[in-house]
Amino acid sequence: MRQIVLDTETTGLEHSEGHRVIEIGAVELLDRRLTGDHYHQYINPQREIEDGALEVHGITAEYLQDKPVFAEIAEEFLNYISGAELIIHNAPFDLGFLDMELSLQPQLAHSIEAVASVIDTLELARDLHPGLRNSLDALCKRYDVDNSSRTLHGALLDAEILADVYLAMTGGQSDLGLSFRAPEEAQPHGFASFGAPHDSLVILRAETEELEQHLRRLHDIQEKSSQCLWLELEPDNTT
């Protein structure tokens, strides 16, 4: 599964007032693993930047003078996200701006959701933590994600941080090697694919330290969510 964690910076808060996108940052996840493939682009908005926005991201109009306008990068950006599942914090904000930019390029897709699906991590966090603050900074603190380098907002940095938050919020790294692969493909680390002959299956037993780490993780889930069904299935859950 290909996912793209995405963030933007803008000249102001309302695209309906003529504000524009000035930075796009995105990082790629494949099967819930960061690949190192990212997209990052500064954009010349051809307008001034509001003081309030400047205080948030620190990107000046002067710095953007020699950067391409959105029309010059739109096709490359769409190609990067096409067919992926986008992960965005407060998605309506970013999608509103990006869709407005696309509306000025009639030869391209009319909306981001025409080429990619979207998960809004703000809505996800509100479902998981009703009544609590669910800003990106608050989620970093809740899930022990290091955001100490985040003195100012930046699209690529925020996308990288959001990727860590999303993985933590949705259960951490989920690929245990039990992916659906053709039997003839090589299976790293002794993992066997589904459909392989029974006598070729390799069983890897967990070490004592790994079992202890697993149990600590279940207790951590129990503490944070008040209920952990896996813990109830453990033969000894008194640790």
Side-chain angles (χ1 to χ4, degrees):
M1 178 174 58
R2 183 171 185 258
Q3 296 173 301
I4 301 294
V5 188
L6 182 144
D7 187 57
T8 65
E9 300 297 342
T10 63
T11 61
L13 290 176
E14 299 291 340
H15 61 81
S16 59
E17 296 176 1
H19 287 292
R20 306 290 297 272
V21 175
I22 60 172
E23 185 187 11
I24 301 173
V27 296
E28 181 185 63
L29 295 171
L30 280 180
D31 295 327
R32 296 177 59 82
R33 284 188 169 91
L34 284 164
T35 67
D37 184 9
H38 68 270
Y39 179 89
H40 185 222
Q41 181 66 62
Y42 289 106
I43 300 162
N44 183 352
Q46 299 180 303
R47 60 155 293 155
E48 291 301 311
I49 298 172
E50 281 193 346
D51 291 341
L54 187 60
E55 291 176 5
V56 171
H57 52 61
I59 303 171
T60 66
E62 291 73 23
Y63 176 76
L64 298 172
Q65 282 299 310
D66 62 345
K67 304 301 185 287
V69 297
F70 189 87
E72 296 176 272
I73 62 94
E75 187 170 3
E76 178 187 33
F77 169 61
L78 288 176
N79 287 338
Y80 178 77
I81 67 170
S82 181
E85 182 177 67
L86 301 184
I87 300 167
I88 308 173
H89 199 68
N90 191 19
F93 177 86
D94 300 87
L95 294 179
F97 271 92
L98 291 170
D99 286 351
M100 180 276 296
E101 295 285 1
L102 288 177
S103 71
L104 303 177
Q105 316 300 323
Q107 76 280 14
L108 299 175
H110 64 277
S111 73
I112 294 297
E113 290 182 281
V115 299
S117 60
V118 177
I119 290 178
D120 186 350
T121 51
L122 179 57
E123 289 300 316
L124 179 60
R126 285 171 175 168
D127 289 340
L128 292 172
H129 311 291
L132 299 180
R133 293 181 63 248
N134 289 301
S135 66
L136 186 55
D137 285 336
L139 291 173
C140 285
K141 183 176 181 180
R142 190 170 302 145
Y143 288 100
D144 297 321
V145 172
D146 181 14
N147 66 341
S148 57
S149 59
R150 192 178 186 247
T151 54
L152 289 173
H153 288 254
L156 184 58
L157 175 60
D158 283 2
E160 291 170 343
I161 291 172
L162 179 59
D164 289 339
V165 167
Y166 171 75
L167 291 174
M169 188 163 54
T170 55
Q173 190 182 80
S174 69
D175 185 357
L176 302 179
L178 301 176
S179 55
F180 288 88
R181 296 177 180 172
E184 64 272 12
E185 291 187 42
Q187 301 299 319
H189 312 302
F191 287 118
S193 65
F194 290 99
H198 291 291
D199 58 2
S200 68
L201 293 177
V202 177
I203 299 175
L204 299 180
R205 303 293 184 184
E207 302 290 340
T208 301
E209 182 180 352
E210 293 173 322
L211 291 172
E212 291 174 351
Q213 290 176 346
H214 167 69
L215 195 57
R216 285 196 294 270
R217 175 61 172 164
L218 295 184
H219 279 286
D220 185 51
I221 295 172
Q222 174 84 2
E223 181 180 348
K224 291 182 178 180
S225 66
S226 77
Q227 183 180 22
C228 178
L229 296 179
W230 293 291
L231 192 58
E232 296 175 8
L233 300 176
E234 288 293 311
D236 179 8
N237 61 11
T238 60
T239 303

